[in-house]
């Protein structure tokens, strides 16, 4: 599947806006970023939470740079065949990475069906 960066970024914004308010209202000092690929250039990683989970914020200081939730465009496009599938995968990635902010690990996400 192909989609230019601006269109993909708008799709991510739309999916973020569609998430339940109680899921996103607790996000503190977090920015959402779209990048083409992770630093290693692979297409295996759809998203990444880069920061301190809420459960570990006692180590979090004043003036910290924002945590980041990164969505990788090329990995999503490689994994999806049409826009509906892409929207579903972006939605799942956003929920997965937001869950990491709240301190939910991959094992629990697997149990919940979000990994």
């Amino acid at each position: 599947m192909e989609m230019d960066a601006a269109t993909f970024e708008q799709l991510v914004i739309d999916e973020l806006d569609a998430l339940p308010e109680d899921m996103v209202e607790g996000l503190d000092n977090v920015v959402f970023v779209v990048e083409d690929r992770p630093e290693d250039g692979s297409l295996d990683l759809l998203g990444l939470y880069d920061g301190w989970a809420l459960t570990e914020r006692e180590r979090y200081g004043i003036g910290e740079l924002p945590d980041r939730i990164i969505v990788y465009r090329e990995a999503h496009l490689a994994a999806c065949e049409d826009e509906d599938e892409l929207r579903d995968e972006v939605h799942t990635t956003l929920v997965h990475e937001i869950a990491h902010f709240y301190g939910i690990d991959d094992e629990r996400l697997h149990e919940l069906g979000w990994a």
Side-chain angles (χ1 to χ4, degrees):
M1 176 172 187
E2 292 187 23
M3 181 179 284
D4 66 59
T7 304
F8 182 80
E9 187 169 324
Q10 186 58 55
L11 184 144
V12 171
I13 291 167
D14 293 346
E15 289 306 311
L16 184 58
D17 288 344
L19 292 174
E21 186 65 30
D22 59 345
M23 181 181 291
V24 295
E25 71 185 6
L27 296 175
D28 179 39
N29 204 30
V30 177
V31 296
F32 290 82
V33 179
V34 173
E35 294 182 1
D36 284 337
R37 290 183 183 217
E39 289 181 15
D40 68 3
S42 73
L43 292 175
D44 298 331
L45 190 62
L46 297 173
L48 178 70
Y49 177 69
D50 179 26
W52 292 100
L54 192 59
T55 56
E56 299 174 352
R57 290 276 173 117
E58 69 273 359
R59 296 182 230 158
Y60 199 73
I62 296 175
E64 294 282 337
L65 289 174
D67 294 352
R68 300 183 313 150
I69 291 177
I70 306 167
V71 178
Y72 295 111
R73 182 178 70 93
E74 291 179 7
H76 277 87
L77 296 176
C80 300
E81 297 198 17
D82 59 39
E83 189 171 325
D84 288 337
E85 186 179 356
L86 179 63
R87 285 185 178 281
D88 288 344
E89 195 61 56
V90 167
H91 179 90
T92 299
T93 299
L94 289 171
V95 170
H96 182 106
E97 302 310 331
I98 289 170
H100 287 318
F101 166 82
Y102 288 111
I104 301 171
D105 64 15
D106 282 337
E107 182 178 333
R108 181 68 178 132
L109 285 169
H110 279 285
E111 292 171 8
L112 296 170
W114 288 102

